[in-house]
Short mmCIF file of all heavy atoms in Angstrom, two decimals:
data_model
loop_
_atom_site.label_atom_id
_atom_site.label_comp_id
_atom_site.label_asym_id
_atom_site.label_seq_id
_atom_site.Cartn_x
_atom_site.Cartn_y
_atom_site.Cartn_z
N LEU F 1 -4.81 -2.18 -22.91
CA LEU F 1 -3.79 -3.07 -22.68
C LEU F 1 -2.95 -2.93 -21.40
O LEU F 1 -2.62 -3.77 -20.78
CB LEU F 1 -2.93 -3.38 -23.91
CG LEU F 1 -3.55 -3.77 -25.17
CD1 LEU F 1 -2.53 -3.77 -26.36
CD2 LEU F 1 -4.10 -5.17 -25.01
N LEU F 2 -2.67 -1.65 -21.20
CA LEU F 2 -1.92 -1.30 -20.05
C LEU F 2 -2.71 -1.11 -18.76
O LEU F 2 -2.21 -1.08 -17.65
CB LEU F 2 -1.28 0.08 -20.31
CG LEU F 2 0.01 -0.02 -21.25
CD1 LEU F 2 0.47 1.40 -21.63
CD2 LEU F 2 1.21 -0.73 -20.67
N PHE F 3 -4.06 -0.97 -18.97
CA PHE F 3 -4.85 -0.74 -17.69
C PHE F 3 -4.59 -1.86 -16.63
O PHE F 3 -4.50 -1.47 -15.54
CB PHE F 3 -6.37 -0.76 -18.18
CG PHE F 3 -7.34 -0.48 -17.15
CD1 PHE F 3 -7.81 0.92 -16.96
CD2 PHE F 3 -7.93 -1.51 -16.45
CE1 PHE F 3 -8.73 1.16 -15.92
CE2 PHE F 3 -8.85 -1.12 -15.42
CZ PHE F 3 -9.31 0.11 -15.18
N PRO F 4 -4.71 -3.22 -16.92
CA PRO F 4 -4.45 -4.15 -15.88
C PRO F 4 -3.12 -3.94 -15.27
O PRO F 4 -2.97 -4.23 -14.01
CB PRO F 4 -4.63 -5.45 -16.55
CG PRO F 4 -5.42 -5.22 -17.86
CD PRO F 4 -4.99 -3.84 -18.15
N VAL F 5 -2.09 -3.66 -16.05
CA VAL F 5 -0.68 -3.49 -15.43
C VAL F 5 -0.64 -2.35 -14.51
O VAL F 5 -0.17 -2.41 -13.48
CB VAL F 5 0.32 -3.28 -16.60
CG1 VAL F 5 1.61 -3.07 -16.07
CG2 VAL F 5 0.31 -4.41 -17.55
N VAL F 6 -1.34 -1.24 -14.84
CA VAL F 6 -1.36 0.02 -13.94
C VAL F 6 -2.14 -0.18 -12.75
O VAL F 6 -1.78 0.08 -11.64
CB VAL F 6 -1.81 1.25 -14.85
CG1 VAL F 6 -2.22 2.37 -13.96
CG2 VAL F 6 -0.79 1.56 -15.93
N THR F 7 -3.31 -0.82 -12.86
CA THR F 7 -4.18 -1.14 -11.69
C THR F 7 -3.45 -2.01 -10.81
O THR F 7 -3.60 -1.81 -9.54
CB THR F 7 -5.65 -1.48 -12.14
OG1 THR F 7 -5.48 -2.73 -12.83
CG2 THR F 7 -6.31 -0.56 -12.84
N MET F 8 -2.79 -2.95 -11.32
CA MET F 8 -2.14 -4.05 -10.46
C MET F 8 -1.03 -3.17 -9.69
O MET F 8 -0.76 -3.49 -8.43
CB MET F 8 -1.61 -5.10 -11.11
CG MET F 8 -0.85 -6.21 -10.26
SD MET F 8 -0.58 -7.72 -10.96
CE MET F 8 -2.18 -8.57 -10.74
N THR F 9 -0.20 -2.32 -10.38
CA THR F 9 0.78 -1.55 -9.71
C THR F 9 0.18 -0.71 -8.63
O THR F 9 0.72 -0.54 -7.50
CB THR F 9 1.50 -0.68 -10.80
OG1 THR F 9 2.03 -1.54 -11.83
CG2 THR F 9 2.59 0.14 -10.13
N MET F 10 -0.89 -0.01 -8.87
CA MET F 10 -1.56 0.88 -7.94
C MET F 10 -2.02 0.00 -6.65
O MET F 10 -1.72 0.35 -5.57
CB MET F 10 -2.79 1.49 -8.48
CG MET F 10 -2.54 2.43 -9.56
SD MET F 10 -4.14 2.87 -10.49
CE MET F 10 -5.15 3.50 -9.23
N HIS F 11 -2.65 -1.10 -6.93
CA HIS F 11 -3.23 -1.95 -5.87
C HIS F 11 -2.06 -2.63 -5.04
O HIS F 11 -2.25 -2.56 -3.74
CB HIS F 11 -4.20 -2.91 -6.40
CG HIS F 11 -5.42 -2.35 -7.04
ND1 HIS F 11 -6.23 -2.95 -8.08
CD2 HIS F 11 -5.94 -1.09 -6.96
CE1 HIS F 11 -7.14 -2.22 -8.35
NE2 HIS F 11 -6.99 -1.06 -7.74
N LEU F 12 -1.18 -3.13 -5.70
CA LEU F 12 -0.07 -3.84 -4.99
C LEU F 12 0.78 -2.81 -4.15
O LEU F 12 0.98 -2.91 -2.89
CB LEU F 12 0.92 -4.49 -5.87
CG LEU F 12 0.34 -5.81 -6.56
CD1 LEU F 12 1.31 -6.31 -7.58
CD2 LEU F 12 0.10 -6.89 -5.42
N ALA F 13 1.01 -1.60 -4.80
CA ALA F 13 1.80 -0.59 -3.94
C ALA F 13 1.08 -0.07 -2.76
O ALA F 13 1.59 0.07 -1.76
CB ALA F 13 2.13 0.49 -5.01
N TYR F 14 -0.28 0.24 -3.05
CA TYR F 14 -1.11 0.74 -1.91
C TYR F 14 -1.12 -0.32 -0.75
O TYR F 14 -1.01 -0.09 0.45
CB TYR F 14 -2.47 1.03 -2.42
CG TYR F 14 -3.37 1.89 -1.52
CD1 TYR F 14 -3.54 3.31 -1.89
CD2 TYR F 14 -3.79 1.46 -0.26
CE1 TYR F 14 -4.37 4.09 -1.07
CE2 TYR F 14 -4.54 2.30 0.49
CZ TYR F 14 -4.76 3.61 0.05
OH TYR F 14 -5.53 4.44 0.99
N GLY F 15 -1.44 -1.63 -1.12
CA GLY F 15 -1.35 -2.66 -0.17
C GLY F 15 -0.11 -2.77 0.63
O GLY F 15 -0.06 -3.04 1.82
N VAL F 16 0.95 -2.76 -0.09
CA VAL F 16 2.35 -2.91 0.50
C VAL F 16 2.58 -1.70 1.42
O VAL F 16 3.04 -1.90 2.63
CB VAL F 16 3.45 -2.95 -0.55
CG1 VAL F 16 4.83 -2.85 0.01
CG2 VAL F 16 3.37 -4.32 -1.36
N GLY F 17 2.24 -0.60 1.09
CA GLY F 17 2.34 0.59 1.93
C GLY F 17 1.42 0.47 3.18
O GLY F 17 1.91 0.89 4.13
N THR F 18 0.33 -0.05 2.89
CA THR F 18 -0.70 -0.18 4.10
C THR F 18 -0.07 -1.15 5.08
O THR F 18 -0.06 -0.97 6.30
CB THR F 18 -2.04 -0.64 3.66
OG1 THR F 18 -2.58 0.34 2.70
CG2 THR F 18 -2.98 -0.94 4.85
N LEU F 19 0.43 -2.32 4.59
CA LEU F 19 1.03 -3.32 5.48
C LEU F 19 2.18 -2.81 6.22
O LEU F 19 2.44 -3.08 7.41
CB LEU F 19 1.33 -4.61 4.65
CG LEU F 19 0.11 -5.31 4.20
CD1 LEU F 19 0.46 -6.50 3.23
CD2 LEU F 19 -0.87 -5.85 5.23
N ALA F 20 3.12 -2.01 5.57
CA ALA F 20 4.23 -1.44 6.13
C ALA F 20 3.82 -0.45 7.17
O ALA F 20 4.42 -0.31 8.21
CB ALA F 20 5.12 -0.75 5.06
N GLY F 21 2.76 0.36 6.86
CA GLY F 21 2.22 1.26 7.89
C GLY F 21 1.71 0.57 9.12
O GLY F 21 1.93 1.01 10.31
N LEU F 22 1.06 -0.57 8.96
CA LEU F 22 0.50 -1.24 10.08
C LEU F 22 1.65 -1.83 10.98
O LEU F 22 1.60 -1.83 12.22
CB LEU F 22 -0.33 -2.54 9.64
CG LEU F 22 -1.58 -2.10 9.00
CD1 LEU F 22 -2.30 -3.41 8.35
CD2 LEU F 22 -2.59 -1.53 10.08
N LEU F 23 2.76 -2.19 10.38
CA LEU F 23 3.98 -2.61 11.15
C LEU F 23 4.61 -1.45 11.91
O LEU F 23 5.28 -1.68 12.83
CB LEU F 23 5.08 -3.23 10.14
CG LEU F 23 4.63 -4.53 9.51
CD1 LEU F 23 5.71 -4.98 8.50
CD2 LEU F 23 4.42 -5.64 10.61
N SER F 24 4.36 -0.21 11.48
CA SER F 24 4.86 0.98 12.13
C SER F 24 3.73 1.66 12.90
O SER F 24 3.92 2.90 13.24
CB SER F 24 5.50 1.92 11.09
OG SER F 24 6.41 1.35 10.26
N TRP F 25 2.75 1.09 13.29
CA TRP F 25 1.46 1.66 13.88
C TRP F 25 1.90 2.59 15.04
O TRP F 25 1.50 3.68 15.07
CB TRP F 25 0.47 0.64 14.26
CG TRP F 25 -0.71 1.14 14.91
CD1 TRP F 25 -0.94 1.49 16.20
CD2 TRP F 25 -2.00 1.36 14.23
NE1 TRP F 25 -2.17 1.96 16.30
CE2 TRP F 25 -2.93 1.93 15.19
CE3 TRP F 25 -2.46 1.21 12.90
CZ2 TRP F 25 -4.22 2.20 14.84
CZ3 TRP F 25 -3.83 1.55 12.47
CH2 TRP F 25 -4.66 2.00 13.58
N GLN F 26 2.63 2.09 16.02
CA GLN F 26 2.84 2.70 17.17
C GLN F 26 3.69 3.99 16.92
O GLN F 26 3.30 5.18 17.48
CB GLN F 26 3.51 1.94 18.28
CG GLN F 26 2.70 0.75 18.81
CD GLN F 26 3.35 0.01 19.88
OE1 GLN F 26 4.69 0.04 20.05
NE2 GLN F 26 2.57 -0.51 20.79
N ARG F 27 4.68 3.94 16.07
CA ARG F 27 5.52 5.18 15.74
C ARG F 27 4.63 6.13 15.04
O ARG F 27 4.67 7.37 15.32
CB ARG F 27 6.65 4.66 14.90
CG ARG F 27 7.56 5.86 14.57
CD ARG F 27 8.79 5.40 13.78
NE ARG F 27 8.47 4.82 12.53
CZ ARG F 27 8.24 5.50 11.43
NH1 ARG F 27 8.16 6.92 11.48
NH2 ARG F 27 7.89 4.81 10.25
N LEU F 28 3.84 5.76 14.04
CA LEU F 28 2.98 6.58 13.25
C LEU F 28 1.90 7.24 14.26
O LEU F 28 1.63 8.47 14.12
CB LEU F 28 2.29 5.87 12.14
CG LEU F 28 3.10 5.35 10.98
CD1 LEU F 28 2.32 4.62 10.01
CD2 LEU F 28 3.74 6.70 10.28
N ALA F 29 1.34 6.53 15.20
CA ALA F 29 0.50 7.01 16.12
C ALA F 29 0.93 8.18 16.94
O ALA F 29 0.43 9.21 17.22
CB ALA F 29 -0.19 5.91 16.99
N ARG F 30 2.22 7.90 17.49
CA ARG F 30 2.88 8.97 18.34
C ARG F 30 3.14 10.27 17.45
O ARG F 30 2.82 11.38 18.11
CB ARG F 30 4.22 8.31 18.92
CG ARG F 30 4.05 7.32 19.97
CD ARG F 30 5.32 7.06 20.66
NE ARG F 30 6.41 6.52 19.78
CZ ARG F 30 6.54 5.19 19.57
NH1 ARG F 30 5.83 4.38 20.24
NH2 ARG F 30 7.55 4.77 18.79
#
């Protein structure tokens, strides 16, 4: 029952982190 909630948390969080990283691409690259 909790599996869909946990996987959605994982996937949304990872995706949000990735998009935030893309916005900081130049700073992260330096």
Side-chain angles (χ1 to χ4, degrees):
L1 295 175
L2 285 170
F3 184 92
V5 178
V6 167
T7 57
M8 179 166 278
T9 301
M10 294 165 61
H11 296 159
L12 288 177
Y14 198 109
V16 168
T18 300
L19 294 173
L22 290 172
L23 293 175
S24 303
W25 180 278
Q26 290 185 335
R27 182 176 63 80
L28 290 174
R30 288 194 297 269

